[in-house]
Amino acid sequence: MPEEQNNSPARDSSLIRPYARTGGRTTARHDLRLETLLSTDEDRLYRATNDQAAMMRLCLQPRSVAEISALMKIPLGVTRVLLSDLITLNLVAVHEPSAQPNIALLERVLSGLRNL
């Protein structure tokens, strides 16, 4: 007699885990575009939790939201929520892009998106 198969959908832990980090929140408090740059300094790292510090270390040099998402290997929505928390706690600074597109930045963002 063949074994019975479980027809319930398998849970993908790689998707569940990041959203657990946001406490199930899917909406960021701040409007963060893909190209928005964030930065921090080492002094602020000491005020952060281990999870926050890992993301903040990427911001020791200005990085876009898209780059951070790709480097952390977490979905963009989760990245926005977590970065929004860091902004609210004044742990990262936001640098809105100028009206003129920065070609080097756009290439970095494109590269980050390709790595997703």
Side-chain angles (χ1 to χ4, degrees), residues 88-106:
T88 299
L89 295 169
N90 197 30
L91 295 175
V92 295
V94 178
H95 309 281
E96 290 296 334
S98 65
Q100 295 287 52
N102 179 331
I103 299 302
L105 171 64
L106 292 175

Side-chain angles (χ1 to χ4, degrees), residues 22-34:
T22 66
R25 294 174 295 136
T26 58
T27 305
R29 293 181 190 130
H30 301 273
D31 182 28
L32 297 172
R33 295 180 287 182
L34 289 174

Side-chain angles (χ1 to χ4, degrees), residues 67 101-110:
E67 285 179 290
N102 179 331
I103 299 302
L105 171 64
L106 292 175
E107 288 173 354
R108 285 176 45 200
V109 169
L110 182 59

Side-chain angles (χ1 to χ4, degrees), residues 29-114:
R29 293 181 190 130
H30 301 273
D31 182 28
L32 297 172
R33 295 180 287 182
L34 289 174
E35 69 276 12
T36 300
L37 294 177
L38 297 116
S39 67
T40 194
D41 54 54
E42 288 194 33
D43 294 337
R44 294 180 187 185
L45 287 173
Y46 300 108
R47 297 183 0 221
T49 66
N50 287 340
D51 279 345
Q52 292 170 333
M55 186 171 273
M56 290 172 62
R57 279 188 200 91
L58 294 175
C59 298
L60 288 172
Q61 68 179 27
R63 300 238 189 227
S64 71
V65 172
E67 285 179 290
I68 295 166
S69 179
L71 291 170
M72 294 290 296
K73 296 181 179 163
I74 55 177
L76 189 56
V78 173
T79 302
R80 284 183 169 136
V81 171
L82 296 174
L83 288 172
S84 183
D85 291 346
L86 294 176
I87 294 165
T88 299
L89 295 169
N90 197 30
L91 295 175
V92 295
V94 178
H95 309 281
E96 290 296 334
S98 65
Q100 295 287 52
N102 179 331
I103 299 302
L105 171 64
L106 292 175
E107 288 173 354
R108 285 176 45 200
V109 169
L110 182 59
S111 175
L113 289 172
R114 285 184 179 142

